[in-house]
Amino acid sequence: MTTITGRLPGATEWFQRATYQRREQLSRLAQLGELVNSISQLVHMVQCERGASNVWLCSQGKLYAPECKASRGLVDENLAVLLTLLNGQAPLPGSAVCERIAVALQCLETLPALREGVTQQSITAPQAMEHYSRMLRHLLSIVPQLNDSIDDPHIAGRFVALFSLMQGKELVGQERALGAIGFTLGFFDDETRQRLVDRIDGQQACFDIFLSHSRAGVQEAFAQNCLPGLETEQLRRVACTRQPGANGGNVALTWFTLQTSRLEHLRTLEEGVIADLMLTVEERLRSENDLGRLSDPDEPLAPYPDKPLLTLVRQQAREIEQLSRQLASLRDTLEERKTIDKAKSVLIAHQNMSEEQAWTALRKMAMDKNQRMVDIARALLTVKNLWPVIPKE
């Protein structure tokens, strides 16, 4: 009988490999922090341009001309920063994130034409909002792809919190834009009201996830600065239950100012969350380096004496699985919106509808069949090749 003494051959190499992989992953994530911050800044500026453009269009060019010009300049500055960063970026983790970046940049290439339509008032405020929102969806879809290779549940939780906050903030931006349209026109139709309610409900779900993965200080800052105030809630009730009436745009400007203030507070919180996430990554990296220098080669689990290995593994597995489900749910929401966008494009091309008519048609079909709109959209896309293209007049 052969007696094995000491460590099995190859064990040291595997411990070293595990340490190396953790360090590489953390180092890579630290580098991606700059990319995440740049995307979040660009998203915020596009949200500002969208809001100003909506007020300009709804007021027939009477309001927010300086704000439109200023927001466009800030978008261009932040887009240039992002492009410079991407050009100097080391290889990104996986093809999926590269494809998301490509689609986002392709959508941003339509920005000059969109701005021209806004300036010439050749498009409606809902059409402009849809174009801007599509750009923002593609930009936001990049962020969760950067999370795929994170094994540490603590860091993964922070990443889910950040993405949920960014998603919730975008829905607040859409709420601001929809409200600005209705209040400026002095009228909310049933479709706009329903979309407004959807954005209010959706942002709350995102913020619930965000808060569940945030420390007490962040939760307190959110409660103090980022919740809708009494005046905002009162205007929400007006928008969702009765018509505001024509008033020269004063209520619209009040609504826009209140929601802009809330978005600025959310942006400040977002910057802090990103900084906190990157600090956590750096601390983990330093800890990993210290662990490699100080740990006993005969007791590699010595830094965790009070945590049984099996319990630790099971706990981390459960946390990562839960986070993965939450992130997958957020991704599914993005994908569903893209599917609905594609179905609207089919109706526009094959049925000669406007974007508003296409949205209304999809929603009516969903209500008539008691199905989700995304299911109707998928069914429509399945049979789209059977439809003749109707040339536009």
Side-chain angles (χ1 to χ4, degrees), residues 73-357:
L74 290 170
V75 167
D76 291 343
E77 288 179 13
N78 282 274
L79 179 56
V81 171
L82 177 60
L83 292 174
T84 300
L85 185 61
L86 289 172
N87 289 334
Q89 184 76 36
L92 291 165
S95 61
V97 66
C98 295
E99 290 174 351
R100 295 294 176 95
I101 291 172
V103 172
L105 293 180
Q106 183 181 49
C107 195
L108 284 165
E109 289 174 356
T110 66
L111 193 53
L114 173 57
R115 287 172 172 174
E116 181 65 18
V118 171
T119 300
Q120 300 299 326
Q121 300 182 46
S122 59
I123 60 174
T124 66
Q127 288 171 339
M129 177 184 168
E130 184 60 32
H131 281 296
Y132 280 114
S133 298
R134 187 179 303 120
M135 292 178 189
L136 289 162
R137 281 198 296 274
H138 289 310
L139 279 170
L140 287 171
S141 72
I142 298 170
V143 177
Q145 288 296 331
L146 304 176
N147 182 53
D148 280 350
S149 60
I150 300 176
D151 297 327
D152 187 316
H154 186 65
I155 294 177
R158 297 289 182 88
F159 223 102
V160 170
L162 171 61
F163 183 59
S164 301
L165 175 61
M166 294 175 75
Q167 280 284 90
K169 178 171 171 284
E170 164 57 7
L171 292 173
V172 174
Q174 292 185 27
E175 179 193 0
R176 177 181 67 173
L178 287 166
I181 293 172
F183 283 120
T184 304
L185 295 175
F187 177 78
F188 286 90
D189 58 24
D190 291 340
E191 177 189 341
T192 303
R193 279 180 168 164
Q194 185 58 56
R195 295 177 73 183
L196 196 60
V197 170
D198 290 343
R199 270 54 175 185
I200 294 171
D201 292 343
Q203 66 189 247
Q204 185 58 53
C206 290
F207 290 143
D208 286 344
I209 295 175
F210 162 68
L211 293 171
S212 70
H213 294 293
S214 300
R215 53 185 174 80
V218 174
Q219 294 173 353
E220 183 178 351
F222 179 87
Q224 289 180 348
N225 302 314
C226 301
L227 292 173
L230 176 61
E231 194 171 2
T232 299
E233 291 288 6
Q234 290 173 340
L235 290 175
R236 278 178 169 180
R237 284 195 288 272
V238 170
C240 294
T241 60
R242 60 182 185 273
Q243 298 301 344
N247 49 31
N250 292 332
V251 176
L253 291 177
T254 299
W255 166 269
F256 196 84
T257 300
L258 290 169
Q259 293 286 34
T260 297
S261 176
R262 187 182 177 205
L263 281 168
E264 291 297 335
H265 283 302
L266 285 167
R267 173 58 188 157
T268 300
L269 185 65
E270 185 179 83
E271 290 176 331
V273 170
I274 293 173
D276 187 52
L277 171 61
M278 292 304 103
L279 181 61
T280 302
V281 172
E282 292 172 4
E283 289 174 347
R284 283 286 198 274
L285 188 54
R286 285 196 298 271
S287 175
E288 190 63 39
N289 290 333
D290 291 341
L291 181 62
R293 290 195 299 269
L294 301 176
S295 60
D296 184 347
D298 293 322
E299 292 293 339
L301 298 177
Y304 314 99
D306 298 325
K307 293 185 179 180
L309 178 59
L310 186 58
T311 302
L312 178 64
V313 170
R314 286 175 175 171
Q315 177 185 346
Q316 289 189 338
R318 285 195 298 269
E319 290 175 351
I320 291 176
E321 181 182 1
Q322 179 183 4
L323 294 172
S324 297
R325 285 199 300 268
Q326 290 175 344
L327 194 59
S329 176
L330 292 170
R331 285 178 181 163
D332 288 344
T333 300
L334 282 173
E335 294 303 323
E336 287 179 2
R337 289 177 186 170
K338 291 179 184 178
T339 300
I340 292 171
D341 283 343
K342 290 178 181 178
K344 286 197 300 182
S345 297
V346 169
L347 290 174
I348 291 169
H350 293 268
Q351 300 297 311
N352 203 15
M353 292 183 177
S354 67
E355 286 198 32
E356 296 174 64
Q357 290 171 332

Side-chain angles (χ1 to χ4, degrees), residues 23-43:
R23 289 174 182 168
E24 283 292 299
Q25 184 185 82
L26 290 168
S27 297
R28 187 73 191 124
L29 190 55
Q31 294 173 2
L32 291 174
E34 190 176 2
L35 176 60
V36 172
N37 191 49
S38 181
I39 290 172
S40 73
Q41 289 178 0
L42 178 58
V43 163

Side-chain angles (χ1 to χ4, degrees), residues 1-9:
M1 178 177 179
T2 302
T3 302
I4 299 177
T5 59
R7 189 183 290 109
L8 288 172

